[in-house]
Amino acid sequence: MASLRSRSVSQTDAPRTLTAKTKVEEERHRSLPAQLIICLIIAMSLWSKDSMRDVLKNLIDGLSDALLQLIEWKLTTPPGRSAPEQGEKTEMVEILFVHGALVRDGAWWWQRVAERIHERTGTVSRAVELPSCGEGAIPGAADLLEDARALCAALDNVDEAVVVGHSYGGTVIAEGADHPATRHLVYITSYLPDVGQSQADIMSGEQDPVGVAPDDDGTVRIAGYTASSFGDRFWQDLTDEETRAKAWDRLTAQSVGAFGTPTTRAAWRGRLSTYFVCTEDCSTSLALQRFHAGRATRSIDLAAGHHPFLSRPDLVAEELIRVLRTD
């Protein structure tokens, strides 16, 4: 009863208490601008023009940063969630890109998509370096498991991530994205292998396999193609000649172990996933794409070739933004 009585008394006295507080606050607010103006005048008389310029610049920069953070929060936060308090730690969703086989410099391949997404949503992204492609490792020394560990290490450093894999990158995801930070998996003309399947197993039924040749260091590389013929197969819908040349220059050797190592996990099981079927892909057959798309939560068709992030970055960015906003 004491607690009920106490609550009742506080409710009865509330109007009088609030009125008294309001008068005090109003008087304080009236005097505050005058005090600020006096302080500012004194400061201006002491500071040089350069000092004043620096102060104003810092003030504007601070306001700009706060506004950008608010805009980013509005774009990436589900409806109904309140704005974060000052100093409150908030979880940020990032995008982790995993490139395909026999190429290097993942950041270059995903750059056009990453920039569009960042401009529209503020979402940060990064490309995972794959040791089997010689990125941070001795050529021929790393296999699929090393690539998966690289992805897992990247996931260790984010709150939440949408993980995007292209072609062989989907096999890396199966092995390496079984992680608490994984929020959604996205596959671009890629693969969702079962436990025990290797990349070689996945591709064994394809009627027109990619030509490769072994090197003495335990790697394989593209063989039997010119820049033109390779482009006709992998980026026939990319019209920019400079980009085609840069893509050709980024082909590289890759460890044989990347293709022969069987997976030990299937991270796509029990997780939200989206598959981008590239209907104009001249390398990965439409039948193989449809088979793996059937294992994803949902799939969409893109009228693009094997590298839509080069030929149609606008489409890829649009669909990835939809993933970011609908989960």
Side-chain angles (χ1 to χ4, degrees), residues 40-110:
L40 185 58
I41 291 173
I42 294 173
M44 290 175 67
S45 66
L46 297 175
W47 291 334
S48 65
K49 291 183 178 178
D50 290 340
S51 297
M52 277 298 300
R53 189 181 300 112
D54 291 340
V55 170
L56 291 174
K57 181 179 182 299
N58 290 336
L59 177 61
I60 293 170
D61 289 345
L63 291 173
S64 299
D65 289 343
L67 181 59
L68 287 173
Q69 290 175 9
L70 178 59
I71 292 172
E72 180 177 346
W73 175 84
K74 291 293 288 183
L75 288 172
T76 59
T77 304
R81 178 174 169 182
S82 59
E85 297 292 334
Q86 182 69 25
E88 178 187 352
K89 182 179 179 181
T90 58
E91 290 190 348
M92 298 297 296
V93 179
E94 299 185 25
I95 299 176
L96 296 180
F97 291 112
V98 186
H99 66 72
L102 298 164
V103 300
R104 59 175 177 82
D105 192 9
W108 179 84
W109 295 90
W110 299 106

Side-chain angles (χ1 to χ4, degrees), residues 205-222:
E206 289 287 78
Q207 298 300 309
D208 184 20
V210 179
V212 295
D215 286 335
D216 295 334
D217 58 358
T219 64
V220 294
R221 65 176 60 249
I222 294 294

Side-chain angles (χ1 to χ4, degrees), residues 4 20 58-59 78 127 138 141 159 162 166 178 180 215 222 277 302 326:
L4 288 175
N58 290 336
L59 177 61
I138 299 173
D159 294 324
V162 172
H166 171 243
D178 187 12
D215 286 335
I222 294 294
V277 177
L302 296 182
T326 56

Side-chain angles (χ1 to χ4, degrees), residues 26 61 66 85 104 144 194 258 287 289 306 321:
E26 286 179 353
D61 289 345
E85 297 292 334
R104 59 175 177 82
L144 169 67
D194 277 321
Q289 289 187 70
H306 192 70
I321 290 172

Side-chain angles (χ1 to χ4, degrees), residues 98-106 128-144 146-147 168-169 172 219-220 250-256 258-259:
V98 186
H99 66 72
L102 298 164
V103 300
R104 59 175 177 82
D105 192 9
V128 178
E129 294 186 341
L130 299 185
S132 72
C133 292
E135 296 177 310
I138 299 173
D143 59 14
L144 169 67
E146 292 294 329
D147 290 344
Y168 165 76
V172 177
T219 64
V220 294
R250 283 168 171 76
L251 300 186
T252 192
Q254 187 168 2
S255 169
V256 173
F259 303 97

Side-chain angles (χ1 to χ4, degrees), residues 185 187 192 268 271-276 291-299:
L185 304 176
Y187 299 86
L192 288 75
W268 52 272
R271 282 188 170 86
L272 292 175
S273 56
T274 300
Y275 193 105
F276 295 177
F291 174 79
H292 286 278
R295 292 178 167 177
T297 307
R298 61 185 285 266
S299 67

